[in-house]
Amino acid sequence: MKCSPQARHRLKPVSLAALALLTTTSAWSQGSEPPAAADAAPKLETVVVTAQRRLERLQDVPASVKAFSSKQIESMGIGSTQDFVNLTPNMSFDNSFTYGNSFIVLRGVTQINNADSPVAVVVDGVPQNNQKQLKMNLFDIERIEVLKGPQGALYGRNAIGGAINIETKAPGNKLEGFVGAELGNGGARELSGGVSGALVPDTALFRVVAQTKSSDGLITNTYSGAKVDAVGHDNSLRAKLLLKPNADLQIDLRANLIDYAAGATWDSIVADRNPATIVAPRANILGSTEGHTDELSAKVQYELSVGTLTSITSYTKLTERYRGDVDFSNPTDSPGGFLGLGFQAGQGQNLGVRMASQELRLTSPDDQAVRWIGGLYYLDTKRDLETRAFIDVDSSTGQWDDAGKTIVHQQESNHNRASALFGQVDVDFSKQLTLSSALRYDRDQREQTNVLNGAVRSATYSKWQPKFTLTQKFSRDTLAYATLSTGFRSGGFNAPGIPDFKAETLSNAEVGAKTILLDGRFLFNAALFVSRSKDFQFFKVDIATSSQVITNIDSVALKGLDLDFRFLPMKGLEFDGGLGVTHSSIRRSTAEPATVGNHTPKTVPFKINFGAQYTQPLGNGLEGLLRADYEHRDKKYWHPDNMAVSPALDLLGLRIGVRDAKDRWSVTLVGRNLGNKRYYADYNASRYSGLPYDIGSLATGRTVGLEAKFRL
């Protein structure tokens, strides 16, 4: 989207007036005058994104992007990372082992435990550089963008599978607020609220929002009778202060605090080694997780004659502590105790992370034939990790404070210094043809100290990440593009005494098309991709040393398809959905030659999403909402040997609500996984878990609840 320098000021992300105009005035977005009559032909909402570090229409971005506007987030009931991933083809998200732990897979590239994510996550322009930050409660959100394929050129190391860009709602001059509440089965309780306004109109604006969640849990430990997935509390507080001293300077200060206490390690023993067999957990030690995150950031934008200078500074302190069973058995089922050795055993881990980052970026104006972005980035990370296996524990607390009972003890301190130089140039050869060229150099210096013996390991990983995109526009609403791109994920260290793992690189070729048809009522986007991964990273457990091990697969081939559509056949009725296909194949594996030709770990080759939404005036200033969402997940291949395979899965969600036509309040009945499908969110076969049997971590079954929201 091109605009004059004066209009560019009005298109800043913090300008609510501009965003409201772009996202609600559908006729203007389709190139005609705004409708004057209430019965004007309906058109799809126009979604704007910042996927390429500029504010532009989703349909103008030459990349495969799944985006959710604030209107869609509310109508679809998106309140967590799990929710929007479930609605995104070629993407999966699993929460297991600890409350804050998660595994994301995007186009076959897999996240692994205690390591860098394959997907860059950015919230309000601030990178979330730790795996534990991916799972988040999403409230008061303006927009979510999922960029598929390597995004290293602009988003840097670890964007090998893609990027997730999240924008929270910005403050405005108007004093406003909201209160929301939800009650659900399993004793689920949620309360949220916020207030926004001006301390000094047009100069100092604020927004403060908070949320608290808790539940009694839905998954029962059949040995103890306890609910293993109970959430004692999950509290979030976010505050934003926006300062605009003059027309050229903007300072965005942000603080985010998270604190939670919940269950952990509720894996079940699957004796027949079949992921289709659903078994309830029966461990005698009730797992627990405690976590806390403090995040502070400052984003400063200054308008220069040559462009916009942006500085983003952030500091994050993150801790997580878990305790739980190590063999997931109990004295009744296993009278011989841990592996028949005559004692009960547990495990525990303390994680502490401190991260400080700085980005400087200069962005040219939008309204010129040659546009460019250039920048520098630096990240300093200190991570302390202590892991123990212990015996004869107190089944009620899982404590290992008595060092004499510890049988395995590992403690490491990791220091990571990452720096980068990046740039992108877009050249319009004509109004229809554009070539984008981007290049980034990442350097990652890592050092690990064995706290117990003082041994030090160090290594440096670096990579040039180029990207080239050729875009042909056939009309305002139709384009085609071709992209060559590269992604990079750093290597690193396993626990002391275990060999290092290599850096992973991915080369990607992609062609795609985007179009809007039927006078703005039908949107259809498609992309085909072919990728090759070198030193594909994956995860397993070595129970003998109580170590979580990352290793590599030499070569992996990936290819697939992304389809995304929205259709508005008539006013009040809308369909949306998509199709994702990822065919993965192990081409070479030194560690496991027999796996050549198999699917990569945690791969779901095929996924379909379909949603239908109907809104209808009910009279007396009320409006009814009915929305149904269907998700089909193909078989899931858990490990390189492809022996453990979860069956295909169909999930159904439903929302039935009533709201005030002026959107001052709403009440909604919500149901997820209405078929009460039982499946494992994570599964580890004995060959990869280190135990003499398979273990699986159950996903949550059916959830129903009642939501209410009031705007003040």
Side-chain angles (χ1 to χ4, degrees), residues 316-395:
T316 302
K317 179 182 178 182
L318 180 152
T319 61
E320 186 187 70
R321 173 187 183 274
Y322 83 80
R323 302 290 184 267
D325 210 306
V326 72
D327 62 352
F328 312 105
S329 67
N330 60 70
T332 301
D333 296 339
S334 303
F338 176 67
L339 300 181
L341 299 177
F343 53 79
Q344 294 300 308
Q347 61 177 307
Q349 187 177 91
N350 294 336
L351 171 68
V353 181
R354 294 174 185 265
M355 298 177 290
S357 68
Q358 175 64 56
E359 180 175 344
L360 287 174
R361 184 170 72 239
L362 184 60
T363 306
S364 73
D366 299 342
D367 59 338
Q368 52 191 41
V370 178
R371 300 170 299 283
W372 46 264
I373 298 173
L376 301 168
Y377 179 75
Y378 180 78
L379 169 68
D380 188 280
T381 303
K382 295 181 180 178
R383 184 175 72 105
D384 296 312
L385 185 66
E386 181 180 18
T387 305
R388 297 199 190 198
F390 45 96
I391 63 173
D392 295 333
V393 297
D394 182 336
S395 298

Side-chain angles (χ1 to χ4, degrees), residues 100-101 141 161 188 217 277 281 351 395 442 602 658 674 690:
N101 204 45
I141 301 298
T277 302
L351 171 68
S395 298
D442 273 294
K602 296 185 184 293
V658 177
L674 289 176

Side-chain angles (χ1 to χ4, degrees), residues 214-225:
S214 62
S215 77
D216 300 330
L218 290 168
I219 301 174
T220 302
N221 181 312
T222 55
Y223 175 76
S224 66

Side-chain angles (χ1 to χ4, degrees), residues 123-124 137-141 168-169 207-210 236-240 254-257:
V123 179
D124 291 335
N137 296 322
L138 299 172
F139 60 103
D140 204 46
I141 301 298
T168 63
K169 290 188 176 179
R207 192 174 189 95
V208 179
V209 295
S236 300
L237 173 67
R238 183 170 65 245
K240 301 178 76 171
R254 179 178 178 269
N256 189 41
L257 308 178

Side-chain angles (χ1 to χ4, degrees), residues 20 40 63 74 157 200 212 258-259 263 304 323 347 355 409 439-440 463 483 508 543 615:
E74 184 152 342
R157 67 194 245 292
V200 179
T212 181
I258 301 171
D259 186 81
L304 303 171
R323 302 290 184 267
Q347 61 177 307
M355 298 177 290
H409 183 196
L439 182 64
R440 185 180 184 112
K463 181 69 176 178
T483 294
N508 181 67
I543 198 67
T615 56

Side-chain angles (χ1 to χ4, degrees), residues 440-443 461-466 486-488 505-506:
R440 185 180 184 112
Y441 177 74
D442 273 294
R443 179 180 172 85
Y461 305 91
S462 61
K463 181 69 176 178
W464 288 98
Q465 299 174 81
T486 302
F488 163 67
T505 58
L506 186 139

